[in-house]
Amino acid sequence: MDAILNGLTESQKQAVTHIDGPLLILAGPGSGKTRVVTHRIAYMISQGVSPSQIAAVTFTNKAADEMRTRLGQLAPGQPVWMGTFHRFCAQLLRRYASLAGLSENYSIYDTADSKQAMKRAIAAANVSTSHTSPEQITSIISSAKNRLVTPEMMLSASSRTGDAVAAKVYPVYQQQLLTANAVDFDDLLFHVAIMLRNNPELREDLDSRFRYILVDEYQDTNLAQYAIVRGLSINNANLAVTGDPDQSIYGWRGADLNNILDFEKDYPAVTTVRLEQNYRSTPNILRVADQLIRHNQKRKKKDLYTHNPEGDPVVLRMYEDGYQEADGIADAISNAIRTEGMRPRDFAILCRMNALTRSLEHSMRSRGLPYQIINGVEFYQRKEIKDLLAYLHLINNPSHDVAFQRVVNVPTRGIGAKTVERLRRYADVNRIPMLQAARDVYKIEGIAKRSATFVTRFVELYDRLSKKASATLEDLLRYLVEETKYEAFLEKSSVDQQDSSAIGNVDEFISAAVEFDRQHPEDGTLEAFLEQVALVSDTDAFEESDDRVTLMTLHAAKGLEFPCIYIVGVEQGLLPHSRSMDTDAGFEEERRLLFVGITRAMQRLQLSVCKRRTVRGDTRPAVPSPFLNELPLDELKKVESNVDRDWFDEDPDAHGGYPDSWDLPDEDGGDPLADDSGPTVHESAATAYDEVCQLPEAEIAERVESKKRKSAQVAGLKTAADMLNGGVTPVTAYREGTQVRHTEYGDGTVVSITGRGPKRTATVRFDDGEHNFRLAFAKLEVIDG
DNA sequence: ATTGGGACGTTTTTT
DNA sequence: ACGTCCCAAT
């Protein structure tokens, strides 16, 4: 008991000792929230609450693990349910699958699976996709599910054209999922929410089964999650939620800030506890965070404070480009490790997009700095792994059509696209899984006898494999690899590309299976393994114990802390991201994202900006983020590049005319990173792409250039092309055989030209090899046409 | 049926 | 720059 309450502040104690009734814990960053939550659970148990009546729901497995570990120290061996929302729902759905029209061995489609399924549904729904992409449809349907909109509801209430198309696809997609005995990520929440709504008795049962519910990161819940939580705390309103509206960064996934802002209205009997003292960061860092977040309009005012000693000033650094940024940071880190006794694990580098980790990765590697990338290329997304996984999925759930289509001809066994197409058609018409259709292959019109034989052979292979379904995973996998001659297939297909890693990956996958067998001697079913794989993200792969520098996105950093944080690319169009900054809500969410990043830092923090940024192949002048203007600038240490020279107050001309204040660019000024097809495509709505495509190339080039000049003026920078030749070379000046000069590569010859308009691209051969250039932006000079 | 080359679109963030 | 999709050649 003493161990539970000792060392807590008054407000922490208040939260910890609250047992019955709704509780809202508003916890600022670094305020010891996890500590409070775990201590509270321990306290509840010590007061006689049965652990089996408690469920703690988090957003990441990482958070759940952390909680479990900490509780284990306070109250060992207590079976409190802890896990993510999705896992919670997956388990309920296992149990009550039939209520959602599923069988208990249902599969969980990952994003790629859903994408495949969606394409099939779009084709089957017979809609015109000329004005809506599959991605758009997917996202509309996803957000419908997050808002608990059923296919029927959507059909009756679709006004906009994009919605109308999606509304037609939605029921088909759901029907096909049902036939495949599968759900997507959104369905996990959706089905459970609907199930609770439609089955009052079940709802009541579960309400009392989970008498005490805790929800972490409540600010990130969407309507489906809200409904689930609500449904489980009506009779027993012992719902405790923790969260921080300032750290809500999942609006794009349907998170509704109102869930936490209105909590006090939903549960009038609520006790609210505010945890505002920060134990993590220096006052310097906290002031920067606070100044920034004050600029959000939609927000509950909150005072952050700390008793920590004043530390180093926050650094605002400017680099020439992304490569120097990466090198500079890598150098700084290895210096700190060499001279200050810091460890690699003390550092994290945060960025807005995964793509930005590339150059960072390169710099780390070249300096021999150990690093880990969270959410880079995922292990489970590699081809070999997906293939084997698909076999496992199909063994577990014979209706898994996405898996069927993936493996039916892998390794190649004479079943071509046409045959698969006919199987699919037959399956659609009869509303049966494709494997079932394959069993009826002789009944299907149009499939040649020869092909049918191959199909039957596949079915026989499948039946052999499924006999092993209940063996250990290791045995099953080894048998699978053996029977399918999978490794021989890999070897054969990777002759020319010296891609020997594929077979290594297979071995690694088998090791993972061995490990799973070892950890689950009792419940190590195939189903459990597949569920784990589906619901474990790479964010969870973060290993604190590893002594490595961590590279990740700002989103992935939530909930973590590091002594030293570098936030890269604090630039207009990147942070705030160009796709989010058009709406106030989006813009404020971007601001919160930066807030989250800043507050990860314990002792040191550097924000950085580049003069130029290379995205998707081409380099553009970059404009500092408007958020920087909102920071207490006089407190920051502003440094240009690696020279310890204060650039901020200097004569702007001294460094290429960079703006001498952090004034915002003009309205239409700047988003040099918006799109690689150039500003032309994104011109004000009406003069859209079609029109541009009809213009003669020279005129397009001129438009591109004029727009580019304009945005460059705003940034106060000349574009590279302008600096080079003071003028514009029309894209039509290039033909095959044209002699050109490039600043880096030297002289070369145009080998070929493809594309048109802003995308017109030339392949140029130089002495040291060939390079491709977007002509409208290339740093090329014509020597001789 | 399979393979490989080329055009084309695409990525913001994640369970 | 990268992955995916389509088509032509084998």
Side-chain angles (χ1 to χ4, degrees), chain A residues 69-86:
Chain A
T69 313
R70 297 238 222 149
L71 182 65
Q73 291 159 3
L74 284 171
Q78 301 290 356
V80 176
W81 194 95
M82 291 180 174
T84 63
F85 255 109
H86 287 82

Side-chain angles (χ1 to χ4, degrees), chain A residues 156-402:
Chain A
S156 60
S158 53
S159 47
R160 286 179 301 162
T161 53
D163 290 0
V165 174
K168 274 178 148 173
V169 177
Y170 189 10
V172 179
Y173 175 67
Q174 286 309 97
Q175 178 54 53
Q176 293 190 345
L177 281 172
L178 235 44
T179 306
N181 192 24
V183 301
D184 63 21
F185 282 132
D186 299 319
D187 282 337
L188 287 170
L189 308 172
F190 178 80
H191 282 317
V192 169
I194 300 286
M195 184 161 64
L196 292 175
R197 184 159 80 190
N198 293 349
N199 301 277
E201 280 180 24
L202 174 63
R203 189 206 63 72
E204 237 174 286
D205 269 8
L206 294 173
D207 192 336
S208 53
R209 156 91 174 72
F210 299 108
R211 255 188 90 177
Y212 296 89
I213 296 187
L214 294 88
V215 182
D216 197 21
E217 309 279 12
Y218 192 70
Q219 77 280 355
D220 285 327
T221 50
N222 59 34
L223 182 66
Q225 289 161 328
Y226 171 85
I228 292 165
V229 170
R230 178 89 208 185
L232 296 177
S233 16
I234 293 177
N235 306 21
N236 300 288
N238 308 315
L239 171 65
V241 305
T242 65
D244 177 2
D246 289 335
Q247 293 184 64
S248 165
I249 54 177
Y250 285 100
W252 51 275
R253 207 165 78 184
D256 188 348
L257 208 38
N258 291 319
N259 289 347
I260 193 164
L261 295 178
D262 292 345
F263 191 79
E264 288 159 322
K265 283 182 210 151
D266 292 333
Y267 299 87
V270 70
T271 302
T272 302
V273 177
R274 290 163 176 275
L275 304 178
E276 295 180 328
Q277 178 171 355
N278 177 297
Y279 302 93
R280 177 185 295 155
S281 312
T282 65
N284 260 317
I285 292 168
L286 217 53
R287 274 197 302 274
V288 170
D290 185 61
Q291 284 284 325
L292 173 74
I293 204 64
R294 273 166 191 278
H295 290 78
N296 268 5
Q297 301 299 313
K298 195 174 176 187
R299 134 168 230 265
K300 280 192 177 187
K301 192 176 169 303
K302 183 171 48 169
D303 291 310
L304 299 174
Y305 65 96
T306 184
H307 297 323
N308 288 344
E310 195 79 8
D312 301 333
V314 172
V315 176
L316 185 53
R317 196 179 286 267
M318 176 175 289
Y319 298 98
E320 292 296 314
D321 56 36
Y323 306 101
Q324 297 200 13
E325 184 181 48
D327 283 345
I329 290 171
D331 283 338
I333 291 177
S334 45
N335 259 333
I337 292 172
R338 226 170 339 102
T339 64
E340 299 179 70
M342 311 278 297
R343 309 289 320 172
R345 73 160 73 89
D346 295 332
F347 299 88
I349 309 173
L350 312 182
C351 54
R352 180 65 235 269
M353 298 188 298
N354 282 309
L356 293 186
T357 57
R358 279 181 183 284
S359 50
L360 290 163
E361 193 182 358
H362 179 83
S363 302
M364 294 284 152
R365 201 170 354 191
S366 68
R367 282 161 188 73
L369 277 172
Y371 65 91
Q372 60 179 336
I373 298 184
I374 309 299
N375 276 8
V377 263
E378 286 181 62
F379 178 66
Y380 290 113
Q381 298 221 359
R382 291 176 226 188
K383 273 188 247 32
E384 336 49 280
I385 305 305
K386 289 223 83 173
D387 286 344
L388 295 179
L389 215 41
Y391 271 103
L392 295 182
H393 268 121
L394 193 61
I395 292 166
N396 178 240
N397 170 18
S399 309
H400 197 308
D401 280 1
V402 173

Side-chain angles (χ1 to χ4, degrees), chain A residues 57-61 84-87 111 138-148 185-186 189 216-226 247-257 259 352 375 535 537 539-540 553 555-556 558 580 586 589-590 592:
Chain A
V57 186
T58 63
F59 270 78
T60 62
N61 294 295
T84 63
F85 255 109
H86 287 82
R87 187 181 291 279
T111 315
T138 304
S139 119
I140 292 171
I141 292 178
S142 167
S143 89
K145 286 179 179 178
N146 288 331
R147 286 177 290 117
L148 299 182
F185 282 132
D186 299 319
L189 308 172
D216 197 21
E217 309 279 12
Y218 192 70
Q219 77 280 355
D220 285 327
T221 50
N222 59 34
L223 182 66
Q225 289 161 328
Y226 171 85
Q247 293 184 64
S248 165
I249 54 177
Y250 285 100
W252 51 275
R253 207 165 78 184
D256 188 348
L257 208 38
N259 289 347
R352 180 65 235 269
N375 276 8
L535 296 180
S537 73
T539 311
D540 306 314
T553 63
H555 283 88
K558 192 164 72 158
S580 301
E589 182 157 309
E590 295 290 308
R592 290 194 293 268

